Amino acid sequence: MNHIVRQIGQPLAAALLGASATLAFAPFSYWLLMPVSLWGLFLLLQSTSPKKASLLGFCWGLGQFATGVSWVYVSIDHFGGMPAIAGLSLMALLVMYLSLYPALFAGVLARCSVRHAAIKWLILAPSLWLVTDGLRGWVFTGFPWLWPGYSQIDSPLAGVAPVLGVQGITWLLVLMAGLATLITPKWGAWQGRKQLAGLAAIAGLSACAYGLNTIQWVEAHPEKQQTVSLIQGNIPQALKWRPDQRWPTLMKYLDLTRQHWDSDVVIWPEAAIPALERDLPRFFEQLDTVAKNNHTTVITGVLDQNAAGQYFNNVIAVGADTPSYQYPAPKQYSKHHLLPFGEFVPFESLLRPLAPLFNLPMSSFSPGEAIQPALPANGLAYITALCYEIAFPAQIRANLTPDSNAIITLSNDAWFGRSIGPLQHLEIARMRAREFGLPVIRATNNGVTAIMDARGNIQQSLPQFETGVLTTTVTSTVGFTPYRQWGNTPLWIWVAISGLIGWRYRGQPCYRTPRKISTRA
């Protein structure tokens, strides 16, 4: 009976621990639950076979992703055109796919046979987690949502972000969870004085991370200030592409902008224009003329289709600091990192016939170049990240130059209704500001529209699901954070070193294989 309880109870405990990790992210932000969740998982993984460890890691992932990315189902249910059972099945497949990565981490860690428990939990475990999270952020173009480090944007560990980025925080969380595992009474390998040393190490790491918060890696540049107005149109997604709503939508944005022509820059959200750019050349010519007359730059999202029939998700700049408008816009950015199923369909020939979800309007976009020039913004240079792209720090870093003054991210989270998704999205944008020491300007259709300073603090924001305009002063910075200079290079060097250490101290498996039961009388 005890064996049966253990067989059921451990996977259930792992799933509950994974679900608790979701509470560490926005909008809940109980950041302490992340290291606790990892610690609990590691305790379950002690002295288990690779097969059992993989199961426990998979269950932990089920708990986290079933709760943490539940917002995806809102889009499937409202706009997918599928029966509920089909939508739930698709969601289940997504959750199970994402759960393969913690399963891979746990299985490989259990198979790593080393002579010292400290090497397993303090060297191999943090590096393996980085590798599996890195794979999750790369395979099928990547889904780097809910990396553990994001949960610490308001914790003392946030000071690590300008040095090692969000993945550096993840590495530190796993390291601290490994220390906690080693010193857990009756469970851990360290007892007596080693327990005190482990506690001191956790306290020391926390203190160092907190101390990093006191370092001013960049300084405000008072000569690089602008008044910026962000237009939150709050256009319902169900109405957005209806032909009879095209001009009412355009007039709404123009009316909201008309009151803010004294701003240096006016920004409309992703795909704010409910038409292709090529269909409205006269509209953009007039917008460009009015903006130039008012010495204002207008930046907006707009879709387009080129002569070859390829669709692009673009951001264009017109008005001050730009050439006179002629189609196509001389100054534009084309989204590079496309959202699977939303903007392109993997295995297209197989999936498109299956359901309307895979045939949403303009769901076959082409990617722009990986490296693109900054958008001119009335004397400053804005690096652009369209919606989902803000979750890819390496892409943003690759586009930064010494002349970059701010990061703008345009989005339309109306697809996800009143779910937790848009608030997690904002949390990710805050981390980019912290990593690169630059203000981040986030313009969205229905929230959360916000402006963040170089430390990731929200200066001002607009309430969700309300029409409004956010106008404030944005100040650029002078200097570079270590992460902006090095990126993830130090972490990957450490991953390589940790692999060599693991190989050097390899030994017998630390788990016990079950003995075969004799059938002899």
Side-chain angles (χ1 to χ4, degrees), residues 216-476:
Q216 299 290 334
W217 299 105
V218 298
E219 296 180 356
H221 196 321
E223 296 180 1
K224 297 289 186 178
Q225 286 187 334
Q226 286 186 324
T227 301
V228 177
S229 292
L230 310 181
I231 311 298
Q232 183 168 292
N234 195 34
I235 307 297
Q237 194 63 30
L239 301 179
K240 185 176 180 66
W241 295 102
R242 280 176 39 176
D244 62 322
Q245 293 297 311
R246 173 183 293 185
W247 287 105
T249 298
L250 292 175
M251 291 302 104
K252 184 173 187 178
Y253 277 106
L254 288 173
D255 289 342
L256 292 169
T257 300
R258 190 174 292 116
Q259 306 168 39
H260 299 276
W261 282 123
D262 56 340
S263 295
D264 296 301
V265 181
V266 174
I267 303 177
W268 299 358
E270 179 187 22
I273 308 298
L276 299 178
E277 181 191 352
R278 69 177 188 180
D279 295 336
L280 297 173
R282 181 61 178 162
F283 172 83
F284 286 110
E285 289 173 7
Q286 293 176 340
L287 181 64
D288 177 54
T289 300
V290 175
K292 280 182 167 63
N293 290 339
N294 286 279
H295 309 290
T296 300
T297 299
V298 176
I299 296 174
T300 182
V302 60
L303 308 182
D304 198 25
Q305 184 181 29
N306 65 14
Q310 296 173 298
Y311 285 103
F312 292 89
N313 192 355
N314 293 340
V315 180
I316 67 172
V318 298
D321 203 25
T322 69
S324 296
Y325 179 83
Q326 282 186 320
Y327 175 79
K331 298 297 181 180
Q332 66 174 259
Y333 169 86
S334 296
K335 188 175 185 179
H336 169 71
H337 220 121
L338 302 176
L339 179 66
F341 301 107
E343 293 173 315
F344 81 99
V345 179
F347 315 112
E348 184 174 4
S349 60
L350 295 175
L351 293 179
R352 281 202 180 274
L354 295 181
L357 172 68
F358 304 122
N359 291 284
L360 290 174
M362 291 169 285
S363 59
S364 289
F365 284 88
S366 298
E369 297 296 327
I371 307 297
Q372 300 181 52
L375 287 178
N378 215 346
L380 299 188
Y382 287 175
I383 295 299
T384 306
L386 250 176
C387 193
Y388 184 55
E389 290 184 310
I390 198 67
F392 294 87
Q395 176 184 328
I396 295 173
R397 178 175 174 269
N399 279 274
L400 289 172
T401 70
D403 298 324
S404 302
N405 302 116
I407 299 169
I408 59 168
T409 176
L410 280 61
S411 186
N412 177 23
D413 288 342
W415 294 99
F416 309 111
R418 297 181 179 272
S419 68
I420 61 177
L423 299 172
Q424 292 176 352
H425 205 177
L426 175 66
E427 186 174 62
I428 291 170
R430 293 179 61 197
M431 187 63 74
R432 296 292 88 83
R434 187 84 184 198
E435 288 171 337
F436 296 115
L438 287 170
V440 171
I441 303 166
R442 185 171 193 264
T444 70
N445 173 36
N446 66 338
V448 178
T449 294
I451 292 179
M452 292 139 271
D453 65 18
R455 293 178 66 85
N457 299 316
I458 298 176
Q459 290 180 276
Q460 289 190 39
S461 63
L462 291 176
Q464 284 184 284
F465 314 111
E466 293 184 11
T467 300
V469 181
L470 190 161
T471 298
T472 191
T473 300
V474 175
T475 303
S476 187

Side-chain angles (χ1 to χ4, degrees), residues 101 128-138 146-148 167 170:
Y101 292 96
L128 277 173
W129 196 285
L130 289 182
V131 170
T132 53
D133 262 3
L135 286 172
R136 180 159 66 86
W138 174 73
L146 298 185
W147 278 350
Q167 286 293 64
T170 296

